[in-house]
Amino acid sequence: MERAYAESGVQTIVLRARNFIDPNRQACVMSAIYLCNIQRGKLTLPGLAETRQAMCYLSDWSRAAVALAQKRKGLSQFEDVPLAGHTLTTLTIKSEIERIQEREVKCVQFPWWVFKVSAPVCELARELSEIRYLWSTDHAFSDTRLI
């Protein structure tokens, strides 16, 4: 698909980010997965606790998108721009939550088995199961293309 955009003749700017963080907890990965059981003192791990994950605030992504749009005349026909945001591990998130709440937080695994069981009848569950490996794949983004 990206090659098709690059060859289309239409200027295309892809602003990449991984997991969005919304401070208002509106259906973002941080609230839907990591913090879904935080009231019960539990932090949910979708992957390995020490795996680095790229995350960014939705508002930061929006500002970056506007900045790229404003300088689009100086950009190439096709641009693929990563947005670094924050690189966090579940252990880092856990430590910060414990510091803020002044209490210990228990880590529990995300129930991936639910997706495996429902995959034959639910396309979304099947697709999410296919990308599960990303939660155990260490990664971070760089902002060098935004400068």
Side-chain angles (χ1 to χ4, degrees):
M1 183 168 65
E2 291 170 1
R3 185 172 34 162
Y5 284 132
E7 295 170 355
S8 73
V10 175
Q11 186 178 30
T12 303
I13 303 168
V14 177
L15 178 57
R16 291 193 191 275
R18 180 67 161 81
N19 298 318
F20 289 120
I21 303 169
D22 181 353
N24 298 318
R25 297 186 72 182
Q26 299 293 315
C28 68
V29 167
M30 184 64 75
S31 60
I33 296 179
Y34 290 97
L35 303 177
C36 65
N37 291 309
I38 201 64
Q39 279 75 17
R40 291 185 258 160
K42 296 177 182 177
L43 182 67
T44 304
L45 284 75
L48 302 173
E50 62 279 349
T51 302
R52 295 180 315 147
Q53 295 288 306
M55 299 185 188
C56 77
Y57 284 97
L58 188 53
S59 56
D60 291 345
W61 185 90
S62 300
R63 280 190 287 281
V66 169
L68 285 169
Q70 289 173 337
K71 67 179 196 176
R72 68 185 174 276
K73 291 181 180 170
L75 298 175
S76 300
Q77 185 73 19
F78 181 82
E79 293 283 350
D80 188 345
V81 182
L83 176 63
H86 304 278
T87 303
L88 304 169
T89 67
T90 304
L91 294 176
T92 305
I93 296 167
K94 178 183 185 292
S95 174
E96 190 61 18
I97 290 172
E98 289 175 337
R99 185 189 67 76
I100 292 167
Q101 293 188 347
E102 298 178 341
R103 69 179 175 126
E104 194 171 328
V105 174
K106 181 181 177 186
C107 288
V108 297
Q109 282 296 316
F110 184 79
W112 286 106
W113 66 270
V114 172
F115 289 91
K116 202 145 207 57
V117 169
S118 58
V121 294
C122 177
E123 184 177 353
L124 179 60
R126 191 168 43 257
E127 291 173 356
L128 289 173
S129 292
E130 287 178 15
I131 62 169
R132 177 182 176 180
Y133 74 94
L134 291 172
W135 293 105
S136 296
T137 302
D138 199 56
H139 64 277
F141 287 154
S142 167
D143 272 343
T144 56
R145 299 285 318 278
L146 284 175
I147 298 171

